[in-house]
Amino acid sequence: METTVTTGTEDSVWGGGNKPLGASYGKMMMWFFIVSDALTFSGFLAAYGFSRFKFIETWPIADEVFTHVPFFHGNYPMIYVAFMTFILIMSSVTMVLAVDAGHKMKQNKVIIYMFLTIIGGAIFVGSQAWEWATFIRGDYGALETKGGRILQFVDAANDNKRIAIGDFAKSMPETREQHTKDAGIWYMGESSLPSYSLNEVLAGLKDNPNILVRTEQINEEGHKTILNRSETLAKVNQAVRVVEGANLVRNEYGSRLFADFFFFITGFHGFHVFSGVVINVIIFLNVVLGTYERRGHYEMVEKVGLYWHFVDLVWVFVFTFFYLV
Amino acid sequence: MAHEHKLEIFRGLVKFKSNIQKIWGVLIFLSIITAVEVILGIYKPDFFMKTYILDMKLLNWVFIILTLVKAYYIAWDFMHLRDEKSSLRRAIVWTPIYLIIYLVFILLFEATYIYDVFKNGYLSWNF
């Protein structure tokens, strides 16, 4: 243990207190932690790349999935994620300004900039929660085939734009109640039922000649393949269930792995942002109490700053590989 | 803890008067890059979509390169790597880069092989 305690009183080369890399013990350990954490995230993103290259012709197209902006209706691909990126970079900037003010021992400025950083982090975590909620709820709904493939629908009368299953499904007098744990003889339940049954969607499809199936297959122009009417009617015979929104098992956007990676990668990153906000709050309180003023330096602000920038750095990569590429 | 800051970016092309000015300068640069990425992502110009380099769309290469540029400026200026000793910098930067390149190369190569098996092998999965 005594080797880890640096008192700074002994200046001889082997006596401790020697800093060959010009960084204090705490700062260096923060860097080493960041390196190992970076490798964890790289593992996630590389695994994402693996699955994507494996299913390169059927992978969902991200800017058709993430098209929502809170309080606005319509189709705005990327805009909201770009906003989130900007918020995070902005909070990174206020963090650097806090570190800079710390070097100059200006307590009040550190307080202001740390506060702004925390606000930025909170906005980001909130945006991500909203993004998750939208993703889980889904918007158009789809059918799943026996082979686990997703069939989405377009309206040929409306320029082959996507159409929600609720817009053409026929309402039929059939009831199917959700099976809950307390109802059966064995303790088995099921997750909530989709708003339309398979039969209702199929009946609606037969009545509307304009509805066509859009498969997962990506064609040469980089768009999803749209089947013609006779292929559509043949294809939907293979459908076994209605899928609305996303969970860890299946999702209406396409490949099952897509939603899994979305939840794991953005979730792991969101957890980092959340813990970053918590650590920032702790350091913020210490700054307010004047702990670092008494200590004589603001190195703790610099260390949490490193972690905070790292979170930003990871988001830059998640943004590229999940939303852009 | 009065650190000395190196105030030049772009290899000395732009020199700032103070550290705070440099921070805002880097922010503007990062914002411009993000804006370019988003605009390219929304409009997807044909030229970038149709040109392939090493089996990947030119657009994706542009995105990856711009991301690395952003990562460089975040690490160098926001995380103060520019002001650290080069030994610390190399230990932190090159270790993950080697490992990541190795992992990505192996995984993507393997994934391409599995893609071929799925496409040409006697395995039916897309039904």
Side-chain angles (χ1 to χ4, degrees), chain A residues 35 39, chain B residues 76 81 86-101:
Chain A
V35 168
L39 291 173
Chain B
W76 252 244
L81 270 185
S86 61
S87 47
L88 176 67
R89 209 158 56 202
R90 284 169 193 159
I92 288 164
V93 174
W94 289 111
T95 315
I97 286 185
Y98 280 131
L99 292 171
I100 290 166
I101 288 176

Side-chain angles (χ1 to χ4, degrees), chain A:
Chain A
M1 271 305 286
E2 56 263 65
T3 51
T4 59
V5 179
T6 48
T7 55
T9 50
E10 291 179 76
D11 287 333
S12 65
V13 175
W14 303 106
N18 189 21
K19 295 174 184 171
L21 295 181
S24 71
Y25 175 78
K27 203 164 139 183
M28 220 155 72
M29 290 308 118
M30 180 52 94
W31 268 116
F32 287 174
F33 165 70
I34 286 173
V35 168
S36 70
D37 217 19
L39 291 173
T40 310
F41 273 107
S42 318
F44 269 143
L45 285 173
Y48 174 80
F50 176 76
S51 301
R52 189 164 168 175
F53 270 58
K54 204 166 131 184
F55 298 114
I56 194 87
E57 282 178 348
T58 50
W59 201 253
I61 297 170
D63 40 322
E64 293 175 359
V65 177
F66 306 101
T67 57
H68 301 275
V69 174
F71 312 116
F72 289 94
H73 287 287
N75 203 9
Y76 303 103
M78 302 301 200
I79 298 294
Y80 195 55
V81 206
F83 164 78
M84 282 163 71
T85 309
F86 185 70
I87 287 287
L88 209 56
I89 292 180
M90 210 48 224
S91 82
S92 238
V93 166
T94 53
M95 191 79 224
V96 200
L97 291 172
V99 173
D100 188 75
H103 283 159
K104 293 171 187 152
M105 299 298 287
K106 289 179 184 159
Q107 190 185 7
N108 288 330
K109 277 200 162 174
V110 180
I111 292 175
I112 294 169
Y113 287 133
M114 283 291 291
F115 181 73
L116 290 175
T117 308
I118 292 167
I119 297 292
I123 295 176
F124 183 86
V125 176
S127 303
Q128 215 165 37
W130 183 87
E131 184 104 331
W132 269 49
T134 316
F135 186 81
I136 291 170
R137 197 181 328 111
D139 41 4
Y140 295 110
L143 296 186
E144 191 188 86
T145 65
K146 235 183 291 175
R149 301 292 100 203
I150 289 293
L151 305 177
Q152 299 167 333
F153 297 98
V154 296
D155 188 356
N158 185 20
D159 205 17
N160 279 347
K161 287 216 171 70
R162 294 285 304 278
I163 183 167
I165 51 171
D167 292 344
F168 64 86
K170 200 171 170 183
S171 165
M172 298 207 303
E174 52 173 21
T175 50
R176 163 79 165 75
E177 276 182 33
Q178 186 182 352
H179 181 37
T180 50
K181 271 186 186 174
D182 56 337
I185 34 174
W186 191 244
Y187 295 94
M188 275 165 54
E190 64 183 355
S191 54
S192 58
L193 295 170
S195 16
Y196 299 92
S197 74
L198 181 61
N199 286 331
E200 287 174 326
V201 174
L202 292 182
L205 183 80
K206 286 191 178 99
D207 288 354
N208 289 290
N210 286 329
I211 309 293
L212 300 175
V213 158
R214 184 174 179 266
T215 62
E216 287 180 33
Q217 199 73 27
I218 296 174
N219 61 21
E220 271 138 29
E221 283 90 57
H223 302 295
K224 299 276 179 186
T225 310
I226 293 169
L227 302 180
N228 63 32
R229 183 66 185 170
S230 57
E231 286 168 337
T232 294
L233 291 173
K235 192 79 183 169
V236 291
N237 283 332
Q238 297 166 359
V240 287
R241 62 163 57 80
V242 176
V243 181
E244 282 178 321
N247 55 37
L248 284 172
V249 181
R250 48 179 67 89
N251 67 81
E252 63 165 61
Y253 309 105
S255 179
R256 294 175 169 192
L257 287 168
F258 177 72
D260 295 350
F261 276 114
F262 175 79
F263 289 130
F264 274 96
I265 295 177
T266 66
F268 199 57
H269 177 264
F271 177 68
H272 273 75
V273 180
F274 174 74
S275 42
V277 170
V278 170
I279 298 167
N280 275 348
V281 167
I282 294 170
I283 301 299
F284 173 73
L285 292 177
N286 271 334
V287 176
V288 172
L289 292 173
T291 310
Y292 307 124
E293 200 68 24
R294 283 193 296 280
R295 193 176 288 176
H297 60 80
Y298 280 84
E299 208 191 69
M300 279 310 280
V301 178
E302 203 177 326
K303 284 178 214 160
V304 292
L306 285 180
Y307 180 69
W308 191 250
H309 299 312
F310 169 68
V311 167
D312 181 23
L313 189 69
V314 169
W315 179 254
V316 165
F317 283 93
V318 173
F319 175 62
T320 302
F321 290 114
F322 223 96
Y323 295 91
L324 286 179
V325 167

Side-chain angles (χ1 to χ4, degrees), chain B:
Chain B
M1 293 300 294
H3 276 288
E4 299 223 341
H5 292 291
K6 291 182 182 142
L7 299 173
E8 296 173 350
I9 62 171
F10 305 139
R11 297 200 164 269
L13 198 68
V14 181
K15 196 165 173 27
F16 294 101
K17 286 198 187 70
S18 72
N19 192 36
I20 293 181
Q21 268 192 5
K22 185 181 83 170
I23 295 166
W24 289 112
V26 172
L27 168 72
I28 291 167
F29 180 62
L30 292 181
S31 305
I32 291 172
I33 292 187
T34 309
V36 169
E37 282 183 337
V38 171
I39 289 167
L40 282 178
I42 291 174
Y43 292 104
K44 296 189 173 171
D46 256 6
F47 171 69
F48 290 101
M49 295 291 281
K50 297 268 158 69
T51 320
Y52 281 79
I53 297 173
L54 284 179
D55 236 13
M56 199 159 66
K57 285 182 197 125
L58 178 61
L59 186 70
N60 290 354
W61 282 113
V62 170
F63 285 148
I64 290 170
I65 289 164
L66 288 180
T67 303
L68 292 175
V69 170
K70 273 207 278 191
Y72 173 85
Y73 281 98
I74 289 173
W76 252 244
D77 289 309
F78 289 176
M79 296 169 106
H80 301 294
L81 270 185
R82 206 187 284 279
D83 305 327
E84 302 290 354
K85 279 195 175 180
S86 61
S87 47
L88 176 67
R89 209 158 56 202
R90 284 169 193 159
I92 288 164
V93 174
W94 289 111
T95 315
I97 286 185
Y98 280 131
L99 292 171
I100 290 166
I101 288 176
Y102 177 59
L103 178 73
V104 166
F105 170 74
I106 282 186
L107 284 189
L108 295 190
F109 219 77
E110 179 70 10
T112 320
Y113 167 72
I114 298 176
Y115 165 80
D116 283 339
V117 171
F118 277 3
K119 196 175 172 67
N120 305 321
Y122 299 97
L123 177 73
S124 172
W125 62 278
N126 195 353
F127 54 91

